[in-house]
Amino acid sequence: MSDDFFGIHVQTHSSTQRAAANTAPEPAQEEAGFIEKQFIPSSSRVAEPAVSHDWTRETEDDFIDQQYFRKIDPREASEPECLQSPKRRDQGKWFADDESIQKRSDASFAEDYEEPIEIDEKEFTISAPTILQQINSSLLPIKHLSKEELVDYLASQVLYNDEDLLALCKPYGLSYGGGSSDLPQIDRLMPALKAVVAPATAKLHLAKPLDRNVSGILLFVKNEKLKHLLNQKSSESLVMSEYRAIVRGTLAKPKQLIKIPLYKTVRDGQFKMKPLREDTPKRHEIHYVETRAREISSHRYCSYVGALVKGEVPHQVRAHLSLVKCPIIGEDKYTDSPPRPPRLADATLEQLGLSQSQSRRLPFLLHHKERIVLKFDDWPLVRIHYDWETRLRHLFLKRLEVERLLWILSSLGGAYSAMGDYDERFARVAMKISNHQIRLATEYGDPVLLSRCHLYIALSLAQQGYHKEAKQVVRWQSKMARLYNSSFLLACCQGIRAKITAIIYDLR
């Protein structure tokens, strides 16, 4: 299947194949579609072909109506032109009976229609769909689909499905709930949708809703305990969301951190997020949120941006982008002054082939691309991945502890070995320390470190008077150094051999 800016996929496989594909996450992609290419001409991404309509039939009907069913002037209707022509009259009758028709020869018909009918080919020219028509044709016709068709479509848009979570791609224009009774919405489709995508689940709980005109990932959890846990961890920045938007203008920097506190206001039943100011009433709850915006591609008058948010509040991305003078195309709420949606630049309108009035019919270009849930210690019902993470963490901590003990024993053994030149008892303690190092080096799995521990034992043997055995250990480790192609280990062998030679020379 293919997808575009609004996350709308074209189904190309059977329901059996689709059910099998629901269990694996779909890889994230950042390919620009048709809409991004129209607004951002400098983008190098390949645009997907827009869905085309059959405009031929409509044009033909208009031509036939004009030629055969056009309105006739009353003066023409009173006396047709054909009756005034001498060639087409037969004593005041227009071929009144069949006998007179049969008497007419083919030559007389040729005389009556001696002038051929000329048809202008321009009248049959089918104009290509406009940019606005192509954009609208890429949207799912929500109002014209039946309940069964919507359920089947949403089932084909499942991106991730496991024991705890379900994620699907919501199309543009479909609300989750709260709409009028004559419009389709997801909460009314949930029983039928759950029977298809999660039949063994008692109930699907919505983790976070999306606005009707925002497309993208809609996340559900399969138990209420996990839903409350996700809401709690969202405020701790363990749950993040990434959006894509086409905005008017460009960001001040390619990567911009927007840290503007917001508070919620309600007027005429509609809420709006406003920035914190000095005169803000204290009764409002202040949300100290951040939006990390980055520029993916840009034009002089429009930009394709990504926005990463942590601890998200409603309309955070819309409000923050508008406050930095980059309102989203199609935005009708978060603009400083009329007109709403904001006016586009003349160069952009010329490139799209639209007028200012037509630009007001552009869709709201905001897409929820990715939902990032970071795993935490009290995450329930995550078995396989959590167990493997516990095992790997144990092995990692064990390796760090072994390395720490080796550092300690190396320092301690070096001190005792230095004193072994003056007292044999210190040499014996140094030898015991080297034996512990050998066991740890074997656990650590480093052959070079293991050979170095054997060299420490050779030095202890030489300090205790076992010169021949010490030389044999050094000779054997020299062969290992050449086998491992370790110049460092070979240098250690040469140093220990020189030390043993010095000990034997001092005894003489």
Side-chain angles (χ1 to χ4, degrees):
M1 59 175 65
S2 61
D3 62 329
D4 59 7
F5 178 88
F6 294 94
I8 298 177
H9 299 270
V10 180
Q11 182 177 357
T12 57
H13 50 263
S14 64
S15 58
T16 305
Q17 294 171 335
R18 180 179 65 246
N22 288 343
T23 60
E26 184 174 295
Q29 299 181 354
E30 293 194 8
E31 296 184 358
F34 166 77
I35 298 176
E36 294 91 324
K37 186 173 181 181
Q38 297 301 324
F39 284 88
I40 318 294
S42 60
S43 176
S44 59
R45 298 179 176 87
V46 179
E48 296 184 2
V51 180
S52 61
H53 289 281
D54 187 4
W55 304 94
T56 307
R57 185 62 186 172
E58 181 180 353
T59 307
E60 291 177 354
D61 292 344
D62 293 341
F63 176 80
I64 294 173
D65 292 341
Q66 182 180 3
Q67 297 296 323
Y68 295 97
F69 302 99
R70 63 184 177 88
K71 294 182 179 180
I72 302 175
D73 188 79
R75 292 173 297 179
E76 297 178 356
S78 61
E79 188 176 3
E81 183 180 357
C82 60
L83 297 180
Q84 300 176 4
S85 174
K87 292 183 180 181
R88 305 176 70 109
R89 300 184 64 177
D90 189 4
Q91 296 180 356
K93 297 188 297 180
W94 174 248
F95 304 135
D97 51 293
D98 295 340
E99 183 178 356
S100 61
I101 296 177
Q102 293 176 0
K103 292 180 180 179
R104 295 181 58 86
S105 62
D106 294 338
S108 64
F109 275 101
E111 294 176 356
D112 291 341
Y113 299 98
E114 59 184 0
E115 297 182 0
I117 300 176
E118 296 182 358
I119 300 177
D120 189 2
E121 295 181 357
K122 296 182 179 179
E123 297 181 4
F124 290 92
T125 303
I126 302 174
S127 59
T130 64
I131 298 298
L132 185 60
Q133 291 172 341
Q134 295 182 49
I135 292 176
N136 292 332
S137 67
S138 66
L139 305 179
L140 187 70
I142 302 294
K143 298 181 181 180
H144 303 289
L145 296 180
S146 64
K147 178 181 177 180
E148 292 75 14
E149 291 173 334
L150 281 174
V151 170
D152 186 65
Y153 176 81
L154 291 176
S156 69
Q157 302 304 302
V158 173
L159 305 176
Y160 184 82
N161 191 2
D162 66 1
E163 298 178 353
D164 302 322
L165 300 176
L166 171 69
L168 58 86
C169 188
K170 184 186 84 68
Y172 173 89
L174 180 62
S175 62
Y176 180 80
S180 58
S181 59
D182 58 339
L183 293 178
Q185 53 190 35
I186 296 180
D187 60 348
R188 297 173 187 152
L189 304 174
M190 285 307 299
L193 180 63
K194 185 187 74 66
V196 177
V197 298
T201 303
K203 184 179 180 180
L204 291 176
H205 303 269
L206 180 65
K208 183 174 179 59
L210 294 178
D211 292 340
R212 182 175 66 90
N213 289 336
V214 177
S215 61
I217 294 178
L218 203 60
L219 184 65
F220 295 90
V221 293
K222 298 185 178 181
N223 61 81
E224 193 170 359
K225 180 180 177 182
L226 181 57
K227 175 186 176 182
H228 295 309
L229 188 59
L230 279 177
N231 294 335
Q232 176 186 353
K233 297 300 180 179
S234 178
S235 60
E236 302 175 8
S237 300
L238 292 177
V239 179
M240 299 179 290
S241 294
E242 186 173 2
Y243 290 85
R244 293 286 186 270
I246 298 181
V247 301
R248 186 187 65 179
T250 57
L251 297 173
K253 300 177 181 178
K255 293 184 179 180
Q256 186 172 353
L257 177 61
I258 308 173
K259 301 174 63 175
I260 303 177
L262 303 173
Y263 68 95
K264 180 180 177 180
T265 61
V266 180
R267 184 177 180 180
D268 298 333
Q270 300 292 328
F271 81 91
K272 184 177 180 180
M273 305 300 292
K274 293 186 176 181
L276 177 63
R277 305 184 187 277
E278 295 181 355
D279 57 347
T280 300
K282 296 182 179 180
R283 67 177 182 272
H284 293 292
E285 180 183 1
I286 309 301
H287 302 280
Y288 295 91
V289 290
E290 298 180 359
T291 300
R292 298 181 180 272
R294 64 185 180 93
E295 185 180 281
I296 300 176
S297 59
S298 65
H299 189 255
R300 183 179 178 183
Y301 304 103
C302 292
S303 300
Y304 181 41
V305 300
L308 180 66
V309 294
K310 298 181 181 180
E312 182 184 6
V313 297
H315 293 190
Q316 175 180 337
V317 176
R318 298 173 61 179
H320 272 176
L321 289 177
S322 295
L323 289 172
V324 296
K325 309 301 181 184
C326 292
I328 302 174
I329 301 297
E331 178 65 77
D332 58 353
K333 179 179 289 189
Y334 294 94
T335 51
D336 297 335
S337 59
R340 298 183 179 92
R343 177 184 175 91
L344 296 179
D346 294 337
T348 304
L349 293 176
E350 182 180 357
Q351 180 181 343
L352 295 175
L354 302 177
S355 62
Q356 266 310 335
S357 60
Q358 290 176 331
S359 66
R360 297 173 62 85
R361 300 200 300 269
L362 285 171
F364 185 63
L365 303 179
L366 180 63
H367 178 68
H368 185 205
K369 181 180 181 296
E370 190 172 4
R371 184 79 167 173
I372 305 171
V373 181
L374 302 180
K375 192 177 69 61
F376 29 85
D377 294 336
D378 48 355
W379 179 276
L381 302 178
V382 182
R383 300 182 179 87
I384 299 179
H385 299 290
Y386 186 78
D387 293 343
W388 271 109
E389 190 272 340
T390 302
R391 296 187 186 103
L392 292 176
R393 181 173 60 181
H394 171 73
L395 293 175
F396 178 71
L397 294 177
K398 179 181 179 180
R399 189 175 182 89
L400 288 180
E401 183 65 20
V402 169
E403 189 172 354
R404 186 183 69 86
L405 292 175
L406 285 171
W407 293 342
I408 295 174
L409 292 178
S410 179
S411 301
L412 187 62
Y416 275 94
S417 181
M419 296 299 296
D421 294 337
Y422 308 99
D423 193 332
E424 187 177 330
R425 291 176 298 176
F426 289 99
R428 287 196 292 269
V429 175
M431 188 172 181
K432 292 180 180 179
I433 294 175
S434 297
N435 287 327
H436 287 293
Q437 287 180 295
I438 288 176
R439 289 197 292 270
L440 291 175
T442 303
E443 184 74 21
Y444 195 78
D446 189 352
V448 175
L449 180 60
L450 184 62
S451 296
R452 288 170 57 193
C453 295
H454 283 94
L455 291 177
Y456 300 153
I457 290 180
L459 180 57
S460 299
L461 290 174
Q463 290 173 339
Q464 297 177 55
Y466 301 99
H467 304 142
K468 183 177 179 180
E469 290 80 358
K471 289 181 178 180
Q472 290 179 351
V473 173
V474 173
R475 191 179 301 112
W476 176 254
Q477 298 308 319
S478 298
K479 294 181 180 179
M480 299 301 294
R482 295 185 182 91
L483 178 64
Y484 300 142
N485 195 21
S486 174
S487 58
F488 174 72
L489 181 58
L490 188 60
C492 291
C493 294
Q494 294 173 357
I496 296 296
R497 185 183 295 111
K499 180 66 175 178
I500 294 173
T501 303
I503 292 174
I504 295 173
Y505 180 78
D506 292 340
L507 291 177
R508 293 178 181 176

